[in-house]
Amino acid sequence: MAYQTVRSWDPELVPTPAGRGARPDEACPVEVALRVISGRWSTLLIRELLHGPLSYGAFRKRLPTLTDKVLTDRLAELRGHGIVERQITRGFPSRVTYQLTPRGEALRPLMIELYRTGEALLA
Amino acid sequence: MAYQTVRSWDPELVPTPAGRGARPDEACPVEVALRVISGRWSTLLIRELLHGPLSYGAFRKRLPTLTDKVLTDRLAELRGHGIVERQITRGFPSRVTYQLTPRGEALRPLMIELYRTGEALLA
DNA sequence: CGGAATCCTATCGGATACTG
DNA sequence: CAGTATCCGATAGGATTCCG
């Protein structure tokens, strides 16, 4: 009979089997969360939207060095993840605004924790 | 006189000027935190180490599809960030183990929050 | 056992120009 | 105002081979 060391999972760190894979896994909750906030500029867009809805042009004013292509890419990605939605108001001029969905608002505690952890690492 | 809308920062979300930049910034706490956990396999290595020290070979056994190159890269990166340290025990056989530093242990709340948020997004 | 050195490819994101 | 369409260089990370 051979011995083996069985590792028990910390139930606070890894409460469900979904986080116990032996390889990168789309369904792992940690990766799900990371995927929606990952990508250059993503956290900046989320930060802006956590303060309220913005138009395309308002993004460009607040983040002047962000190019159209990347802004469009990121907004599409965030919309694809159900984090952001686009509101079009018809009329002259027709107004387009982006805002967080309830799913998007759910990112706030994570953003706060990221900030906190980053500050701790800097100290 | 022109009007302008001045945005006030949510002091819980962005408590210090370090997080108010208009472009991606290495010194932004959010990016600092993201940088140390980013990269494929990184969160898996951190998860393993949050359960205790591991040898190089133990990593390979627990994460069989992770290649030497990437494992070496990630460990070097995590060591460079001061998250992980390497302990060498002389003798036969000479033993090498990797473990989290106190800075590394400080990532635990963030990992838990990532998991929580990911589960919320999946629901 | 515990790595380092090469090579190769896919994706990412910046620059630029154009459009309804 | 609110985007699209191309192009293109830099990295990231996987496969493979070799080393003390």
Side-chain angles (χ1 to χ4, degrees):
Chain A
M1 175 183 180
Y3 293 95
Q4 70 175 315
T5 304
V6 176
R7 278 204 152 187
S8 51
W9 298 97
D10 177 338
E12 200 185 5
L13 183 64
V14 191
T16 66
R20 296 175 192 162
R23 68 191 64 187
D25 178 2
E26 293 187 357
C28 168
V30 169
E31 292 186 41
V32 169
L34 279 175
R35 195 158 51 245
V36 315
I37 64 169
S38 77
R40 208 158 145 84
W41 294 97
S42 291
T43 55
L44 259 35
L45 298 193
I46 292 166
R47 179 194 69 186
E48 294 303 319
L49 290 173
L50 281 170
H51 287 94
L54 283 180
S55 67
Y56 187 90
F59 273 119
R60 304 233 43 202
K61 279 198 177 153
R62 297 187 58 79
L63 306 170
T65 64
L66 170 56
T67 66
D68 282 325
K69 191 241 189 188
V70 176
L71 176 53
T72 302
D73 284 358
R74 285 291 166 272
L75 288 173
E77 186 183 317
L78 294 173
R79 287 208 292 149
H81 287 129
I83 295 307
V84 166
E85 65 185 351
R86 192 210 225 170
Q87 292 272 346
I88 303 182
T89 308
R90 292 294 182 187
F92 278 119
S94 76
R95 202 66 186 139
V96 179
T97 56
Y98 294 89
Q99 59 194 276
L100 291 178
T101 63
R103 283 166 65 83
E105 297 284 353
L107 295 176
R108 184 183 296 269
L110 174 57
M111 295 298 292
I112 291 172
E113 184 60 31
L114 279 167
Y115 205 107
R116 243 187 37 69
T117 303
E119 281 192 307
L121 291 172
L122 287 167
Chain B
M1 175 182 178
Y3 293 94
Q4 69 174 318
T5 305
V6 176
R7 278 204 151 186
S8 51
W9 297 98
D10 177 338
E12 201 185 5
L13 183 65
V14 191
T16 65
R20 296 175 192 162
R23 68 191 64 188
D25 179 1
E26 294 187 355
C28 168
V30 170
E31 293 186 40
V32 169
L34 279 175
R35 194 159 51 247
V36 314
I37 64 169
S38 76
R40 209 159 145 84
W41 295 96
S42 290
T43 55
L44 260 34
L45 299 194
I46 292 165
R47 179 194 70 186
E48 293 303 320
L49 289 173
L50 280 170
H51 287 94
L54 283 180
S55 67
Y56 187 91
F59 273 118
R60 303 232 44 201
K61 279 198 176 154
R62 297 187 58 80
L63 307 170
T65 64
L66 170 56
T67 65
D68 282 324
K69 192 242 189 187
V70 175
L71 176 53
T72 303
D73 283 359
R74 285 291 165 273
L75 288 173
E77 186 183 318
L78 294 173
R79 287 209 292 149
H81 286 129
I83 295 307
V84 166
E85 64 185 352
R86 191 211 225 168
Q87 292 272 345
I88 303 182
T89 308
R90 293 294 181 186
F92 278 118
S94 76
R95 203 67 186 137
V96 179
T97 56
Y98 293 90
Q99 59 193 278
L100 290 176
T101 64
R103 282 167 66 84
E105 297 284 353
L107 295 175
R108 184 183 297 266
L110 174 57
M111 295 297 294
I112 291 172
E113 184 60 31
L114 279 167
Y115 204 106
R116 244 186 36 71
T117 303
E119 283 192 306
L121 291 172
L122 287 167

